[in-house]
Amino acid sequence: MRLTVHSDYALRVLTYVAVAPGQVATVHEVAEAFRISHHHLVKVAHRLVKAGILEATRGRGGGLRLKLDPNAITVGDIIRASEDDFAVVECLGQTRYCRIAGVCKFRELFRRALAAFFAVLDELTLADAVRNPDALRGALDLTSALTTTRMGAQGSGPSLREAPLLKTIRPG
């Protein structure tokens, strides 16, 4: 299994936003800080908003901020929200067709392997990943890039534990 650039960018945008609590960041700022494609980052940010991880506000002073507490967001949640397909073998995919499906042991093996993969990713939260915020801010030169917002406290929404869509492994 190979994760796409969407997962990579999702981890980056969430890292950027997580080390700036109480502030908002624009897609442009994140793209410049990481030197990555603005176009792709727009898609990733939209997906994270749709998943309920990020909150986006439009207009002057608008941008992206965490909708959830960083302690409630696991790396597994981020990957589940940013990828479309976890079928490591065809029989775990949407078609689930295979001539030997009833007698083959591979499907169950790969289903368990995928579950184990996500179990490991679910061990680390976004908060754990950004435990060195000063070093991350310095590496990204965030001191001058972020803009202050008049929005309320970050993390006021529900946790991802209350969003079962994100906690399920699609091919099952």
Side-chain angles (χ1 to χ4, degrees):
M1 180 169 88
R2 180 175 174 92
L3 299 176
T4 67
V5 72
H6 287 265
S7 289
D8 180 20
Y9 286 10
L11 292 167
R12 292 179 194 217
V13 71
L14 290 171
T15 296
Y16 189 99
V17 174
V19 297
Q23 305 214 10
V24 294
T26 66
V27 170
H28 178 76
E29 290 167 349
V30 178
E32 280 196 358
F34 284 104
R35 296 182 181 116
I36 57 179
S37 166
H38 178 273
H39 178 74
H40 280 66
L41 201 56
V42 167
K43 292 178 186 179
V44 170
H46 176 72
R47 199 167 196 164
L48 293 170
V49 168
K50 227 171 123 177
I53 297 172
L54 278 180
E55 184 173 58
T57 53
R58 293 178 187 248
R60 186 171 185 197
L64 303 169
R65 72 181 199 111
L66 290 176
K67 188 171 184 178
L68 304 172
D69 185 289
N71 287 299
I73 306 167
T74 70
V75 173
D77 294 326
I78 298 165
I79 301 304
R80 285 181 192 91
S82 59
E83 294 291 335
D84 287 323
D85 184 12
F86 297 107
V88 289
V89 289
E90 187 176 356
C91 60
L92 288 179
Q94 292 199 12
T95 60
R96 296 190 182 182
Y97 170 76
C98 181
R99 285 184 74 166
I100 61 171
V103 294
C104 176
K105 301 293 183 195
F106 293 128
R107 183 175 195 272
E108 177 60 16
L109 174 74
F110 284 111
R111 188 202 59 75
R112 286 184 20 239
L114 188 58
F117 174 74
F118 278 107
V120 171
L121 295 180
D122 287 335
E123 291 175 2
L124 187 76
T125 67
L126 181 58
D128 297 330
V130 297
R131 289 254 186 260
N132 56 344
D134 292 335
L136 288 166
R137 285 186 203 106
L140 293 171
D141 193 26
L142 290 185
T143 51
S144 62
L146 296 171
T147 56
T148 305
T149 180
R150 291 182 291 275
M151 295 178 65
Q154 92 173 18
S156 59
S159 76
L160 283 182
R161 306 294 178 258
E162 299 166 10
L165 171 69
L166 294 177
K167 294 308 284 182
T168 58
I169 299 174
R170 292 179 197 136

